[in-house]
Amino acid sequence: MRLMQTCIWWFVLLGTLKAQEEAHLPEYLVFMKQFAVHIQLSEPSGIMIWTRNSPLIEMFGLELYVGRNNQNHREPSWDRELLVNTTAIVDGKFLIRDDNMVVEKGEIVRYRFSVLHKKTLHHSNFRRIIVTDHLFYRPKNNYCFSQCLVNEQEQLQEEIAHMKSILEEKIMQCVGSQTSKYLFFPLENAAKLVSDSELYVKYRLWHVDALKPLVNNVVTTYLAHNGVGFEMYTLIDKFKVLELGEGYLDVVDFDSVM
């Protein structure tokens, strides 16, 4: 019993210390702590940096330098750099890559990332990592790996787009041209409770794992006195939200409430 009480006391103490630590951090650093950034290297050249897609990120930026320790100077000689911003999402990630950058084991990577949220640009603190084996991606059969992977992904995306187009046509034949791509979150006094309709919709979708890939397929949003409406990119996207969100979201088909 005393052991259990001691464990509980330690958990409470650790939680309190963590809360106190974050309370003393600047607000922008508390905001940036929720984003995890990953780095992966390739041989003989290539670097990829990414973070998971989030409705809080409008743009992801990177300031990265690579160098090697210099015995004559306290600071490494930074002879390579990568300064990139992106708004593109690849496979659910904000991805930055440079296939020509050479990074070798034992070198030092210094970087910080930035996030644009509600027209405000937030920067993380600079971080340094020493390049070790675990940063390198080494597939067992890396013959033409990167190029083949890119080609396969492009072909797959083309096939998916083609299938979506066919399904859209079939759906329109079944349900008729009066069907819209609109959905609706019922919410009384929505105009008073919701300040940003787009963020509200994307936040709701983001918290259902199966719907995360559809967050950026929200085309338009609007506020009504009794809820928040939004339009999806395709009819298939709309039906996915209705089907996969059942039991998780109180979303309704806008056409059914007209």
Side-chain angles (χ1 to χ4, degrees), residues 198-227:
E198 181 181 2
L199 184 60
Y200 175 83
V201 170
K202 290 185 175 182
Y203 178 85
R204 295 292 303 276
L205 297 181
W206 180 260
H207 279 75
V208 179
D209 287 341
L211 296 179
K212 285 182 178 180
L214 298 178
V215 167
N216 288 290
N217 288 7
V218 176
V219 179
T220 57
T221 63
Y222 66 91
L223 276 175
H225 70 279
N226 61 340

Side-chain angles (χ1 to χ4, degrees), residues 13-46:
L13 178 61
L14 287 172
T16 303
L17 290 174
K18 181 174 178 60
Q20 290 176 346
E21 176 189 348
E22 293 197 350
H24 289 87
L25 286 174
E27 185 177 344
Y28 76 94
L29 285 182
V30 175
F31 174 74
M32 296 298 279
K33 282 184 68 175
Q34 62 188 302
F35 306 113
V37 173
H38 307 274
I39 297 177
Q40 181 177 286
L41 304 174
S42 300
E43 293 174 318
S45 66

Side-chain angles (χ1 to χ4, degrees), residues 37-190:
V37 173
H38 307 274
I39 297 177
Q40 181 177 286
L41 304 174
S42 300
E43 293 174 318
S45 66
I47 183 171
M48 290 197 305
I49 305 94
W50 72 90
T51 189
R52 286 182 60 184
N53 179 24
S54 165
L56 299 176
I57 302 178
E58 299 164 25
M59 181 185 72
F60 176 65
L62 181 75
E63 181 180 351
L64 180 144
Y65 305 92
V66 181
R68 183 174 288 274
N69 279 325
N70 189 329
Q71 294 181 352
N72 298 323
H73 299 86
R74 294 180 59 185
E75 189 72 5
S77 175
W78 308 109
D79 54 5
R80 282 146 289 169
E81 66 178 24
L82 184 60
L83 309 174
V84 183
N85 295 322
T86 183
T87 57
I89 297 169
V90 180
D91 295 332
K93 300 183 285 288
F94 286 94
L95 175 66
I96 293 173
R97 65 185 298 167
D98 184 331
D99 294 330
N100 298 316
M101 178 175 280
V102 177
V103 183
E104 298 179 348
K105 183 178 176 181
E107 293 187 318
I108 299 173
V109 175
R110 178 176 181 262
Y111 73 96
R112 70 173 179 174
F113 66 95
S114 57
V115 167
L116 181 66
H117 174 61
K118 288 190 173 181
K119 299 182 180 179
T120 300
L121 189 63
H122 303 269
H123 293 281
S124 72
N125 284 339
F126 272 104
R127 303 173 184 176
R128 293 192 186 199
I129 55 175
I130 298 175
V131 177
T132 57
D133 282 329
H134 81 278
L135 288 178
F136 287 91
Y137 178 70
R138 296 185 175 114
K140 292 181 180 179
N141 180 11
N142 60 4
Y143 174 73
C144 190
F145 180 79
S146 59
Q147 189 58 46
C148 292
L149 181 60
V150 169
N151 292 339
E152 288 179 4
Q153 288 179 338
E154 290 177 352
Q155 292 174 4
L156 180 61
Q157 292 302 320
E158 290 177 2
E159 290 179 11
I160 291 174
H162 183 58
M163 289 301 298
K164 276 190 173 183
S165 177
I166 294 174
L167 285 172
E168 287 273 329
E169 292 179 7
K170 296 298 182 183
I171 290 172
M172 292 302 293
Q173 292 174 8
C174 293
V175 300
S177 59
Q178 300 302 314
T179 302
S180 76
K181 301 171 187 174
Y182 282 90
L183 294 163
F184 195 74
F185 282 117
L187 180 66
E188 289 300 324
N189 298 318

